[in-house]
Amino acid sequence: MEWDQAAAGFAAMGSEARLQVLRALVRAGNRGMTVSEIQEKTGIAPSTLAHHLKTMGDAGLISQQKAGRSVINTAAFDHLNRLANFILSECCADVQPKAVNDD
């Protein structure tokens, strides 16, 4: 994952409302949720919710599929895993091992 993709993904998660939406979608799994289900779960106003969904969709955090007259929103689990791996991939890389005699 490139730095600009990671930055865009993390920036799109950069509000409490978007984190609430994303968490609701993660909890829903591959079934996803309609906009009205997300609104019911989070209490976010429909017009504001549409803005947040667009931001998260543009960053690749969610996918949206038309199903009849509804749109099913689903967490983009592959992309979310890449973001998690990006931030955790170098965990503890700069930690110097403690020598046996160090106290």
Side-chain angles (χ1 to χ4, degrees):
M1 173 170 282
E2 299 292 326
W3 283 91
D4 58 337
Q5 291 174 311
F10 288 117
M13 287 188 258
S15 81
E16 184 178 330
R18 287 194 290 269
L19 282 174
Q20 288 176 352
V21 171
L22 189 58
R23 182 169 242 181
L25 291 174
V26 166
R27 290 176 59 99
N30 290 325
R31 176 185 71 79
M33 299 173 79
T34 64
V35 173
S36 62
E37 289 172 323
I38 297 168
Q39 198 277 325
E40 184 178 304
K41 191 73 119 172
T42 63
I44 299 171
S47 61
T48 304
L49 182 55
H51 167 73
H52 289 313
L53 290 170
K54 179 174 179 1
T55 299
M56 291 188 296
D58 290 347
L61 299 178
I62 66 167
S63 64
Q64 297 180 306
Q65 295 289 324
K66 191 114 169 106
R69 293 180 3 186
S70 297
V71 174
I72 305 297
N73 299 274
T74 309
F77 292 104
D78 288 343
H79 189 66
L80 292 170
N81 277 322
R82 285 193 302 275
L83 285 169
N85 288 333
F86 177 86
I87 203 70
L88 296 173
S89 66
E90 295 190 33
C91 175
C92 310
D94 292 336
V95 174
Q96 297 297 318
K98 192 173 184 179
V100 176
N101 296 347
D102 286 352
D103 289 328

